[in-house]
Amino acid sequence: MNQPASAYFIEDRHDPNETHTLAVLVQNEPGVLARVIGLFSGRGYNIESLTVSETEAQKHLSRITIVTTGTPMVIAQIKNQLDRMIPVYQVVDMTQTKRSIERELAMVKVRGQGEHRVEALRLADAFRARVIDATTESFVFEITGNTDKINQYIDLMRPLGLVEVSRTGVAAIGRGPEGM
Amino acid sequence: MSDKSHDPNQMTGAAMIVRALIDHGVTDIFGYPGGAVLPIYDEIFQQSEVQHILVRHEQGAGHAAEGYARSTGKPGVALVTSGPGATNMVTPLTDALMDSIPLVCISGQVPTHLIGNDAFQECDTVGITRPCTKHNWLVRDVNDLAKVLHEAFYVATSGRPGPVLVDVPKDVQFATGTYHPPRKSDVHRSYAPRVKGDATQIRKAVALLANAKRPVIYSGGGVINSGPEATKLLRELVEVTGFPITSTLMGLGAYPASGKNWLGMLGMHGTYEANMTMHDCDVMLCVGARFDDRITGRVDAFSPGSKKIHIDIDPSSINKNIRVDVPIIGDCGNILGDILQVFKAEAKKPDVKSWWQQIAQWRARNSLYYKKSNDVILPQHAIQSLFEATRGKDTYITTEVGQHQMWAAQFYGFEEPHRWMTSGGLGTMGYGLPAAVGVQVAHPDSLVIDIAGDASVQMTMQEMSTAVQYELPIKIFILNNQYMGMVRQWQQLLHGNRLSHSYSEALPDFVKLAEAYGAVGLQVHKPGDLDGAIQEMISVKRPVLFDCRVAALENCFPMIPSGKAHNEMLLPEQANDEATAKAFAGGKALV
């Protein structure tokens, strides 16, 4: 690559990106989420999905699940940068362990009549989506599964009158008896 | 139950702050009062254990605290008010974060019930300073204050040191609560920096070092941060192995510049021998440095044939820019000790004679050469003269940022750590003068010199007033070329010599300016007058502005042009117009 005249070296390497799911155990205190998100925006990392909730109230622990993409070197950086934050207890790369289950929940609103309504219900049954709200011209379906399954379901609903989608983002947990 | 009014640990938040400072051994703080910190200033007024230095701008307080910290190894403390007081601290906090300097900043905040209301002098201080501190806290309850202050000192000084900020609303300063002295449980359980290196990795490192044919030790600021033991061990390792050693800008002084294995600084303006040794080595031992872009040059051509060992206390420094073969996480003093122990027990001194012969050839290129003149003072010559005049004296050097900073790093020989205070990572113009104030407060009887440029020094010139007020005899040695020299150099080399806004028109008369502040002004034009003027500067026991008029268009060489590797340096004797144009040939894009 011909270097432009610059005070900085411009890198020309393009390692392929990988998608990783990280589980981050943090002290639940004011500003902790802002710290984590600020790290991603400040250092130019991607967030594909983000899920946060307190998981152990007595110990003030929250669990943040982040789906991110980057080269292997960037993914390693992200983990190290997260791990060195003061209120972060632990960072586990759920993708690297290869022994994790990922789920998200989506609520999908579909509006339609006649054949479209019947088809929507039939597909919901096939995907094990539940009807949690219904009117004479609409349904709200609740569906859980991995990201691909939910994407697929949403794609199928599109021609049947998809109105809107609300998704929780990914939550992940390891298989087997051990905790993180 | 005892009467709370007689409990000595019952006190106001403001009193707790002063008490915590005393409990952490703080004797000097730098600050500027304002509405949201008045209760703390009232407490400061009523005691004599902590001396407060009144600066002229909060940025000055921050850099002074940094200079204090770097020259003592203790944390520097700054106290500022809410709003503009806090925003003026952003530059020093970022500077301290980049250079891993332990800094504790206490900021006032508007009362809790007004937070979020756009109150007078309100800003989101913890929000603004979150990315420029190692950690920060907003204290909403006076009973949390002691714990937070103790944790703040621990976080700032442990692991990889860095700046922290504690934001204290004014009602919390007034409120009464219970203080407790520092205790272990004050610190987040999630924060436990690793200090001991992994034994297996240490053995791997020793095996590489013992079999090295073309080794190099590349040390950084981490060695100095680790403390005197790390410096001692680094010197011993060089002695035991016979390896050549180079250092980053931040690491100067860990190994003495007069030591026989010293190659000089490496990187963009490092010596030819240091960079060639890095490029051609077969084993590189990086101790407490972070492969920053000013060091590596082109990353895909950085030391292509070497096995790299990297010692760092911060895991995120590993494999960030350069992939290494043997990472060792922990305190470098600790790890150097372990490496030495294993090396001495199991290895014999490697034969690196032919490697030293090669290095001698590179050294013979004399990459720091410059042409002296009888008519005009060359900046390099000015620094050499300053070095000769202060050699053997108890001297501390600070700098601003630019050409003068690089010349100082190249031509001033540092024999000991903590003697060299410069803004490396952030490159903050205006760092050196307030930093010198901080150094002089910590070392009242030492000679403290800010090697400055005429542009940088004007950014924080107001702190001359602080120096005069506290009788701090700092010497501001200005290499005055009437340009922002480094900007001008880049414009000459990269932008067709179109000197866009890099000429300082209407420079002040620095001698009169010094006098206006109540300091001493000196000016020198002729090389023949330089040594005498430097002696006069040293012997004056008052603050001095030294206006050293130097060659206006001198460039800083050697230099690794952008996008080039360590073995493609531009040496001073080659730096004619044609070679320079070729070295910098490329597109027009700027990054």
Side-chain angles (χ1 to χ4, degrees), chain A residues 1-13 15 25-27 29-36 38 42-43 45 59 61 72-74 76-77 79-90, chain B residues 97 126 130 133-137 140 151 155 160 188-191 268 293-294 297-300 314-323 490 494-495 561-564 584-591:
Chain A
M1 176 189 172
N2 192 16
Q3 273 289 308
S6 167
Y8 295 91
F9 170 64
I10 296 131
E11 206 170 355
D12 197 20
R13 289 187 309 188
D15 289 349
L25 207 58
V26 301
Q27 187 79 33
E29 60 185 25
V32 66
L33 185 59
R35 282 179 210 287
V36 170
R43 291 186 183 266
Y45 307 142
K59 292 186 189 164
L61 290 182
M73 222 159 150
V74 167
Q77 258 300 295
K79 288 188 274 183
N80 284 331
Q81 293 286 356
L82 283 169
D83 210 16
R84 74 174 186 155
M85 298 186 124
I86 309 294
V88 170
Y89 280 88
Q90 208 185 347
Chain B
L97 187 69
V126 285
R130 201 174 281 132
T133 53
K134 186 173 168 188
H135 198 65
N136 62 10
W137 298 259
R140 289 173 171 272
E151 183 176 26
V155 169
R160 180 175 179 176
H188 273 81
R189 284 187 299 116
S190 49
Y191 177 66
M268 183 172 272
D293 59 88
R294 302 293 97 167
R298 187 184 179 113
V299 287
D300 56 4
D314 180 356
S316 76
S317 292
I318 307 288
N319 291 336
K320 182 163 68 180
N321 303 324
I322 298 291
R323 207 176 278 282
W490 282 94
L494 294 174
H495 295 275
S562 59
K564 302 282 175 167
F584 286 90
K588 291 282 182 222
L590 260 193
V591 176

Side-chain angles (χ1 to χ4, degrees), chain B residues 92-220:
Chain B
L93 288 172
T94 311
D95 192 273
L97 187 69
M98 293 288 266
D99 287 346
S100 307
I101 305 303
L103 201 68
V104 177
C105 176
I106 294 161
S107 58
Q109 181 57 278
V110 301
T112 324
H113 71 276
L114 286 177
I115 291 178
N117 280 23
D118 299 324
F120 176 63
Q121 292 195 327
E122 183 192 352
C123 71
D124 175 10
T125 303
V126 285
I128 290 169
T129 60
R130 201 174 281 132
C132 58
T133 53
K134 186 173 168 188
H135 198 65
N136 62 10
W137 298 259
L138 168 66
V139 184
R140 289 173 171 272
D141 181 343
V142 69
N143 288 309
D144 293 336
L145 186 54
K147 176 184 158 65
V148 167
L149 288 167
H150 300 323
E151 183 176 26
F153 274 92
Y154 183 72
V155 169
T157 53
S158 58
R160 180 175 179 176
V164 298
L165 178 138
V166 182
D167 200 28
V168 190
K170 195 171 178 181
D171 55 327
V172 175
Q173 298 169 31
F174 276 128
T176 300
T178 309
Y179 179 81
H180 66 260
R183 59 190 183 200
K184 238 192 160 123
S185 61
D186 291 330
V187 180
H188 273 81
R189 284 187 299 116
S190 49
Y191 177 66
R194 172 166 195 163
V195 288
K196 190 89 182 120
D198 180 80
T200 317
Q201 293 294 87
I202 285 165
R203 291 196 166 273
K204 276 192 205 163
V206 171
L208 281 175
L209 295 171
N211 295 304
K213 303 273 180 293
R214 303 186 309 278
V216 66
I217 298 173
Y218 144 48
S219 82

Side-chain angles (χ1 to χ4, degrees), chain A residues 41-55:
Chain A
S41 63
R43 291 186 183 266
Y45 307 142
N46 299 313
I47 298 180
E48 303 283 315
S49 159
L50 176 81
T51 312
V52 197
S53 184
E54 188 168 67
T55 49

